[in-house]
Amino acid sequence: MSDFEFDVAILGGGPAGLSAAARAAQRKLTHVVLESAAKHANTIQQYQHRKHVMSEPGLLPLRSDIAFAAGRREAVLQAWEEGIRKTNAQIRYEAEVTAITGRQGEFSLALKAGGAVRARNVILALGVQGNPRRLAVPGDEFPCVQTGLESADAHQGETIVIVGAGDAAIENALALAVQNRVILVNRRGDFPRAKDSNVTRLRRALDAGKLECVFRTEVNLIRRSPDGSSLPYQIVLRPPEVERVVDCHRVIARLGAIAPRRFVESVGVRFADERPDSLPDLSHRYESSVPGLFIIGALAGCPLIKQAMNQGYEVIEHLSGNPIDPADHPVLEAKLRPLLDGREVDAALSLIQDSVPTFAKLKPLALRELVLASKVVPVRKGRRIFARGEYASSVFHVLQGQVQLETDAGEPMLLREGQLFGEMSLISGRPHEIGAVAGPDCLLLETPHGTIKKLARIEPSVRSYIDRVFVLRALRLMLLPRARAETIHELSTCAQIHSIASGDTLFKQGDPIDRLYLLRSGSVTLSRATSAGEAPVAYCAAGNFVDVAGCTPAVRARTVTARATVAAEALSIDYASFRKLLSSDEALQRKVQVEQEQQLAAYARMKAQPGAGDVLSFLMSNGVGEATNVLVIDELLCVGCDQCETACAQTHEGVSRLDRRAGPSFYSLHLPTSCRHCEHPHCMRDCPPNAIHRLPDGEVFIDETCIGCGNCEESCPYGVIQMAEVPPRVGLLERLLRRGPTEAAKTAVKCDMCKDLKSGPACVNACPTGAAIRIHAEDVVSLARTRASAVR
Amino acid sequence: MHASFINYRNYRYGFSALALCLGAVLAYVIDARREAQSGGTWLGYTLGTVAAVLIVYLALYGVRRRSFRSPSGSASGWLSAHIYLGVATLCIAALHCAFEFGRNVHTAAFVLLLLVVVSGGWGVYVYARYPGLISRQRGNLSRETLLEQLSKLDGRARALASTLDNRIQALVDHAIRRTHLGGGVWEQLRGRDLSAILIPDAGRGAAFAQIVSNEGQHVLIQRLAQEHAAAHDATFDARLQELLEVAGEKAVLVGKLQKDIQLQGLLQFWLYLHLPLCFGLLAALLIHVLAVFFYW
């Protein structure tokens, strides 16, 4: 040991690294934190001033010698600074490590500034955002060039050039445009990396002339302005045609961070696969494929501060010869109680992994995360788990016992241990097509949609398993309820899944009919080409066949174009196989014939009313295609009394969740800014405390555990979520004694469809003239048709 | 889909009110054979009680309108009932007093009821007709959007005028500053364009100016057209042409906004009669009932 300077070297002075260092100091391990920046917690230092820092997940206890609680950025940073001082954690600032060589017991860390640090063990707590990418053009070093923005309010009346096409660039540009002249420079022609909501906000601001955006343009150089210029710097841009010089005060480069993956791989650490978001292979003690080299925090796939701090603590305990259970152990123990039966938590987790094929290939850490977010629920025999027609917010796996799926036709399907159900609603975002009833000794793992969707994004094996189950079940339920299992398996081998972006086509008019499509999520409009462009003739929602009407032997080519109204997915089978099936299955023949008749009649009716197609296009272009419940105001009846807004405010702590005046109108139909309770709620995608839920009737609501992070507000493309100061409930006595909270915290508020009112949505109920109604996306066609006949 | 307060649940309250009126008329005709009708007969008292209960029920619509958690049915259902039963009340009250009118508090109550029903009828007419007019003339745009467009047009006009000479700049600036929208109740309801403009007073020399009406931006357009006709510089000419077009667009927009304000005003104005009359009716009804029982 005397040959080496440190027992442990910690790369990165963020929360994970600091917590590890503080514990090492307590355990009397010789240690050093090597932080490339000049301050601790560099990422959080770059947050905007007074930004609220969250301490999720609430269930998990904090295990660290350094204090941490949710609060303002300044308070959090100060607490850590005090923690460093009190625990005597050793940190070297501006010490960037360029290479790590050696092996356990004799690692050598080369520093950029020269020299090396030797350590027996290494902890990588680098985070994923620490190293902002710079412009790398002449003049990049001028003080006017920055890679972050602390506070937009600090700048007024300046000319600021922002370079980048991601969310950070757009958000900075929008915030600064309020009080400054802003020019956003984008190397590409669009914003593929940015959230839809940000792109929408940007386009609105561009249309309103609030800022300028130049596309397909790169930065050539930055220089000081010649004497006599009013602005101190000049940035030279290189659009496709001719060079352009912009006088400016400041340049902000928001080009993302240099991911440390290459550096980590250079040390010898293996990653799960080649995808950019894949994670390093780690043991349950956070040890990588290189013995003695540990990875914690965001780099290990745990972006939450508390988790990262706990991991720092646990690694040091492990290195001190005191391997303790992870901090989530007691939480997991409580969750898994029905499954434990004398087993240890790890054994119960292995049991889940062995019996549930969906999770067979999950890494231990990912499985723990999944179970932490899920519930293990025993269900009595005969009890209904969900009914047909109910909206879903979870998927289920059978851990023990049996479950019966009730289908419309044919025998009920019997599910056994390890099998998945509820996947159809997960994918379609629509109500359950079938019901599920518990069999004997039934124990289920119930996982929220948000968790499983996130897992499917980062773990391809989960995605492909769910898809496989979906294909088999969809073929059975929608097409061949009475077919033998082998037939379905055979057919599933030729099935394909197609993802279509909003506005793209699944097929075009005139295309040969080679596949039968079943829409599994999103919706499409079917339209025919006319002299005035495309005229919609039908709307097709998830769970339906697309243009079965065209699938008759006499028709060789598509007579309609199918265009996605929102991001959609379709399952398809080869048309030849379908025809073969059709000839041998009379029930299927009848079913297809009925659908064909209905679709052909619908096409004809729509075509007879040209205005209806226009109304349908308007509704679809405003996102009604993904709505489960949308407020539509008839302007022919609306007297502008604002009773809808007043009713909303009066029933929701004085804050109206709808803005009647805002929103588009067409054919005297008005879509006010109000929640549409989307099939796949955008707001639920990234809610750290899982505070957004969906009720069986479809209502999407935010509960009181909202921490006010604003993710949902940003994710919602329809601008229906607002961050509002809901006044705290303070009792009379507390008010008299001036105790209790005085400052209202900002939380996200949105329409909850008045789920607690027996009389239904207050906005609709309070409308005196019947102008306000709430409809489902499936009603749009009849709405379009009645509108077209009402307004001429 | 959308169902208006008029045909709520297939005229449920319309038919109920009709049945009530027919029942009352039938009872009146039958009872008239037995004895001469007046407010003091058995049927008179019954019809009076029914009418009084109906008036109280009709007034409760105001309470229902403000109770947003009420489980007692939708507001549009209540409004539908309010309208049809209101008309029925007038019929029943007339039968109640057996068409006997005089110069007394009882007839005053009836007259007030009549005025309330007539003002309500006006309300039904404007609620049924004006929203469509407003929507159509706004053409899918909100008033806020129209105002934004106006401010953009003004900005463009100012920017264009700033490149022309001082006279035109002053003319445009005065026209913008004296563009008139809204105003007092009467002005809103009349919907006349009271926009004005400051122009040089030709009679008194260049140093004097006078304010004249600029209704429909007429004077501004006329003056700009004169300048245009007299202009010889090509650039100057092109900018003036553009400025003229902007003034034309603005005239249309101001007209649209004025019409919108007028229609919105008319949409609400009847309520300012209906509500005080309602309170007057309730007071008169109370005096009527007390007086009847006092002299019984």
Side-chain angles (χ1 to χ4, degrees):
Chain A
M1 175 169 173
S2 58
D3 283 354
F4 291 90
E5 279 192 54
F6 299 106
D7 290 325
V8 57
I10 301 157
L11 269 69
L18 292 179
S19 180
R23 193 65 207 149
Q26 299 298 303
R27 283 281 177 193
K28 309 281 185 241
L29 293 183
T30 55
H31 68 276
V32 65
V33 176
L34 301 167
E35 167 59 54
S36 61
K39 287 178 180 171
H40 65 287
N42 192 34
T43 302
I44 294 165
Q45 297 275 6
Q46 291 192 11
Y47 279 7
Q48 287 196 5
H49 282 184
R50 295 167 62 78
K51 181 180 162 86
H52 183 79
V53 180
M54 297 174 290
S55 65
E56 293 309 306
L59 272 178
L60 197 68
L62 175 70
R63 192 186 252 179
S64 176
D65 301 290
I66 293 182
F68 170 60
R72 297 216 189 279
R73 158 195 177 275
E74 287 74 11
V76 169
L77 287 171
Q78 199 189 345
W80 288 346
E81 209 169 331
E82 268 173 38
I84 295 169
R85 213 183 51 242
K86 278 189 191 155
T87 55
N88 201 22
Q90 299 299 306
I91 304 181
R92 268 195 219 173
Y93 291 108
E94 297 183 320
E96 189 180 335
V97 175
T98 51
I100 302 175
T101 49
R103 55 198 169 89
Q104 186 165 29
E106 50 189 43
F107 283 113
S108 174
L109 293 82
L111 299 178
K112 192 179 185 182
V117 166
R118 287 174 299 161
R120 298 167 72 86
N121 297 290
V122 173
I123 299 176
L124 297 185
L126 292 166
V128 287
Q129 328 216 334
N131 230 348
R133 190 172 277 126
R134 296 194 64 94
L135 281 169
V137 296
D140 186 20
E141 69 289 350
F142 283 129
C144 68
V145 182
Q146 59 195 63
T147 53
L149 174 69
E150 284 197 354
S151 166
D153 296 338
H155 308 282
Q156 279 183 25
E158 293 186 1
T159 299
I160 301 171
V161 177
I162 298 175
V163 189
D167 288 314
I170 296 177
E171 283 165 17
N172 285 179
L174 292 171
L176 285 166
V178 178
Q179 303 190 79
N180 302 278
R181 180 184 169 221
V182 172
I183 300 156
L184 183 61
V185 177
N186 182 355
R187 203 156 49 92
R188 316 174 52 134
D190 53 1
F191 297 91
R193 279 188 292 121
K195 283 182 203 149
D196 290 347
S197 55
N198 272 336
V199 179
T200 313
R201 282 168 64 206
L202 177 68
R203 294 213 191 287
R204 245 181 260 148
L206 289 174
D207 289 345
K210 288 183 182 152
L211 72 157
E212 189 190 332
C213 184
V214 285
F215 293 98
R216 292 185 193 83
T217 299
E218 303 215 23
V219 177
N220 238 1
L221 62 100
I222 298 158
R223 63 188 178 214
R224 284 191 198 281
S225 296
D227 292 341
S229 299
S230 55
L231 305 188
Y233 292 94
Q234 285 185 334
I235 179 166
V236 180
L237 303 174
R238 197 182 50 214
E241 302 89 32
V242 66
E243 209 171 67
R244 175 182 170 190
V245 180
V246 179
D247 292 314
C248 64
H249 291 93
R250 186 174 306 281
V251 176
I252 302 179
R254 299 308 311 249
L255 304 165
I258 301 168
R261 174 163 177 173
R262 200 171 295 166
F263 171 73
V264 177
E265 277 180 325
S266 74
V267 186
V269 173
R270 271 198 312 271
F271 277 69
D273 55 53
E274 285 310 312
R275 283 169 310 112
D277 52 358
S278 110
L279 299 172
D281 285 343
L282 297 179
S283 75
H284 67 294
R285 302 273 179 221
Y286 317 110
E287 192 165 12
S288 70
S289 50
V290 178
L293 194 138
F294 297 81
I295 299 180
I296 56 174
L299 195 53
C302 297
L304 300 176
I305 294 173
K306 203 197 281 176
Q307 280 177 323
M309 292 179 78
N310 287 352
Q311 291 173 351
Y313 182 101
E314 285 157 18
V315 169
I316 295 294
E317 283 298 299
H318 169 65
L319 288 176
S320 321
N322 176 32
I324 52 168
D325 288 326
D328 57 20
H329 196 83
V331 185
L332 279 175
E333 199 167 20
K335 287 216 176 232
L336 291 169
R337 189 154 295 138
L339 193 66
L340 285 179
D341 199 18
R343 292 185 192 96
E344 283 295 310
V345 165
D346 287 340
L349 288 173
S350 308
L351 190 73
I352 293 179
Q353 184 143 39
D354 293 344
S355 62
V356 178
T358 319
F359 307 136
K361 289 186 182 158
L362 276 195
K363 299 280 172 309
L365 284 178
L367 184 66
R368 288 184 92 91
E369 288 261 316
L370 172 94
V371 176
L372 269 179
S374 309
K375 281 193 279 192
V376 177
V377 215
V379 192
R380 267 203 326 275
K381 186 185 170 188
R383 240 190 98 192
R384 187 165 290 284
I385 301 160
F386 52 74
R388 187 188 163 152
E390 277 183 5
Y391 277 92
S393 53
S394 310
V395 285
F396 298 86
H397 286 90
V398 187
L399 293 179
Q400 287 172 0
Q402 293 178 348
V403 167
Q404 272 193 357
L405 297 185
E406 299 167 322
T407 57
D408 258 359
E411 293 289 299
M413 285 164 75
L414 197 65
L415 302 188
R416 295 176 199 284
E417 203 175 295
Q419 284 191 285
L420 156 77
F421 63 104
E423 80 294 335
M424 288 218 164
S425 292
L426 170 79
I427 290 168
S428 70
R430 294 171 64 83
H432 289 293
E433 297 274 351
I434 48 176
V437 177
D441 311 316
C442 178
L443 186 65
L444 301 175
L445 181 73
E446 180 181 353
T447 312
H449 279 178
T451 307
I452 203 91
K453 281 180 185 167
K454 197 170 153 194
L455 191 66
R457 275 201 298 272
I458 57 172
E459 188 52 70
S461 65
V462 173
R463 169 94 198 176
S464 64
Y465 183 78
I466 295 175
D467 277 346
R468 211 163 64 233
V469 173
F470 175 88
V471 170
L472 291 171
R473 297 240 172 97
L475 290 176
R476 174 171 289 282
L477 284 172
M478 309 294 296
L479 216 53
L480 304 159
R482 287 182 193 83
R484 289 181 315 155
E486 298 83 63
T487 316
I488 303 242
H489 269 280
E490 199 182 314
L491 195 58
S492 76
T493 53
C494 76
Q496 285 177 11
I497 290 170
H498 314 258
S499 295
I500 338 150
S502 170
D504 284 357
T505 54
L506 187 61
F507 51 77
K508 289 192 180 136
Q509 191 171 347
D511 282 355
I513 298 173
D514 51 359
R515 301 197 78 79
L516 174 75
Y517 293 95
L518 167 69
L519 203 64
R520 68 170 202 165
S521 74
S523 55
V524 296
T525 47
L526 303 177
S527 48
R528 286 205 173 128
T530 65
S531 53
E534 275 184 12
V537 290
Y539 160 80
C540 182
N544 290 296
F545 289 104
V546 187
D547 189 35
V548 180
C551 295
T552 51
V555 185
R556 303 255 170 229
R558 297 278 176 194
T559 55
V560 288
T561 296
R563 194 177 291 281
T565 59
V566 289
E569 283 185 338
L571 169 73
S572 75
I573 54 166
D574 156 42
Y575 189 57
S577 314
F578 170 64
R579 298 250 12 123
K580 212 163 79 187
L581 275 176
L582 204 59
S583 59
S584 61
D585 188 332
E586 270 185 33
L588 184 62
Q589 273 175 24
R590 273 197 302 277
K591 188 178 165 165
V592 168
Q593 201 177 347
V594 169
E595 283 218 21
Q596 278 176 337
E597 283 165 15
Q598 282 173 352
Q599 287 189 1
L600 283 169
Y603 292 1
R605 275 199 292 268
M606 280 293 279
K607 222 171 160 220
Q609 273 181 305
D614 297 338
V615 180
L616 192 61
S617 297
F618 159 73
L619 293 169
M620 290 305 160
S621 62
N622 282 287
V624 178
E626 64 174 331
T628 67
N629 197 303
V630 57
L631 182 63
V632 184
I633 292 180
D634 183 352
E635 288 185 339
L636 299 180
L637 292 173
C638 178
V639 293
C641 62
D642 277 337
Q643 280 287 94
C644 46
E645 275 192 35
T646 315
C648 186
Q650 291 288 324
T651 47
H652 295 93
E653 294 100 16
V655 183
S656 173
R657 270 77 163 141
L658 84 99
D659 185 346
R660 180 186 63 83
R661 287 185 187 83
S665 299
F666 187 72
Y667 258 60
S668 294
L669 273 187
H670 179 60
L671 290 174
T673 304
S674 169
C675 181
R676 291 111 190 273
H677 303 269
C678 302
E679 288 180 342
H680 287 287
H682 302 264
C683 53
M684 285 173 85
R685 210 181 284 161
D686 188 15
C687 174
N690 269 335
I692 309 180
H693 310 275
R694 162 156 258 166
L695 289 177
D697 284 339
E699 304 94 332
V700 177
F701 70 99
I702 305 176
D703 72 17
E704 65 290 344
T705 58
C706 169
I707 52 171
C709 66
N711 281 3
C712 52
E713 183 201 20
E714 279 177 21
S715 308
C716 175
Y718 306 112
V720 303
I721 301 185
Q722 30 168 335
M723 304 306 294
E725 286 183 4
V726 177
R729 284 187 190 149
V730 184
L732 182 65
L733 187 67
E734 285 169 316
R735 247 183 292 166
L736 289 174
L737 297 172
R738 299 196 172 198
R739 284 192 192 152
T742 49
E743 196 186 333
K746 271 202 170 179
T747 54
V749 296
K750 68 177 277 297
C751 162
D752 60 359
M753 285 271 284
C754 296
K755 61 185 175 56
D756 300 323
L757 286 184
K758 279 198 184 124
S759 44
C763 51
V764 173
N765 212 18
C767 177
T769 58
I773 58 164
R774 284 194 157 270
I775 60 157
H776 187 276
E778 281 177 357
D779 304 325
V780 288
V781 173
S782 66
L783 176 67
R785 292 187 45 223
T786 50
R787 179 62 13 176
S789 44
V791 179
R792 273 184 261 273
Chain B
M1 294 296 114
H2 292 100
S4 115
F5 59 98
I6 293 174
N7 59 11
Y8 181 82
R9 303 251 164 112
N10 287 328
Y11 301 95
R12 170 193 282 189
Y13 294 105
F15 287 119
S16 309
L18 190 64
L20 199 63
C21 288
L22 287 177
V25 168
L26 199 64
Y28 184 86
V29 171
I30 291 170
D31 205 48
R33 289 188 190 158
R34 201 172 55 81
E35 60 177 331
Q37 282 301 311
S38 78
T41 63
W42 173 85
L43 184 68
Y45 276 115
T46 309
L47 290 175
T49 311
V50 171
V53 168
L54 277 173
I55 288 171
V56 172
Y57 168 75
L58 295 172
L60 280 177
Y61 170 69
V63 179
R64 164 63 187 87
R65 227 177 144 252
R66 287 161 187 79
S67 12
F68 298 107
R69 292 171 184 276
S70 169
S72 61
S74 71
S76 62
W78 269 77
L79 180 60
S80 192
H82 183 84
I83 290 163
Y84 290 114
L85 294 178
V87 177
T89 306
L90 188 66
C91 165
I92 290 168
L95 295 173
H96 154 66
C97 69
F99 307 97
E100 281 179 25
F101 302 109
R103 288 183 178 204
N104 52 37
V105 69
H106 313 293
T107 301
F110 183 82
V111 170
L112 277 168
L113 176 64
L114 182 69
L115 292 176
V116 169
V117 172
V118 169
S119 65
W122 180 21
V124 172
Y125 171 75
V126 298
Y127 270 27
R129 180 162 165 74
Y130 285 20
L133 286 179
I134 292 170
S135 163
R136 263 192 285 275
Q137 78 102 20
R138 263 194 211 153
N140 295 330
L141 298 173
S142 68
R143 187 190 282 183
E144 288 72 19
T145 316
L146 293 177
L147 286 169
E148 269 171 37
Q149 286 184 355
L150 182 65
S151 124
K152 265 191 201 158
L153 279 181
D154 283 348
R156 248 177 79 197
R158 278 206 164 102
L160 280 169
S162 70
T163 62
L164 301 168
D165 66 30
N166 285 349
R167 238 165 356 101
I168 295 174
Q169 212 171 323
L171 199 67
V172 168
D173 191 52
H174 285 306
I176 290 173
R177 277 199 284 158
R178 290 177 204 283
T179 299
H180 185 95
L181 284 175
V185 176
W186 184 237
E187 285 169 4
Q188 283 192 33
L189 294 181
R190 278 184 74 204
R192 262 197 62 197
D193 186 357
L194 298 177
S195 299
I197 191 168
L198 191 73
I199 52 165
D201 190 342
R204 296 170 69 194
F208 293 91
Q210 58 175 342
I211 296 173
V212 295
S213 162
N214 188 26
E215 190 177 345
Q217 304 293 305
H218 188 69
V219 173
L220 175 70
I221 292 172
Q222 199 179 19
R223 294 265 157 165
L224 290 176
Q226 282 167 4
E227 295 283 345
H228 190 30
H232 299 296
D233 178 349
T235 326
F236 192 81
D237 203 39
R239 284 182 189 153
L240 256 177
Q241 177 62 35
E242 202 182 336
L243 193 56
L244 254 174
E245 280 163 18
V246 170
E249 275 178 52
K250 181 176 167 170
V252 174
L253 200 55
V254 168
K256 216 177 234 195
L257 273 162
Q258 250 140 5
K259 189 78 190 159
D260 187 54
I261 292 168
Q262 183 193 23
L263 290 173
Q264 286 282 359
L266 287 169
L267 192 60
Q268 286 160 15
F269 184 66
W270 68 276
L271 255 180
Y272 291 95
L273 295 179
H274 189 68
L275 284 184
L277 285 170
C278 276
F279 282 108
L281 168 63
L282 284 175
L285 180 68
L286 189 69
I287 295 168
H288 161 67
V289 173
L290 285 177
V292 166
F293 284 105
F294 188 77
Y295 290 110
W296 200 359

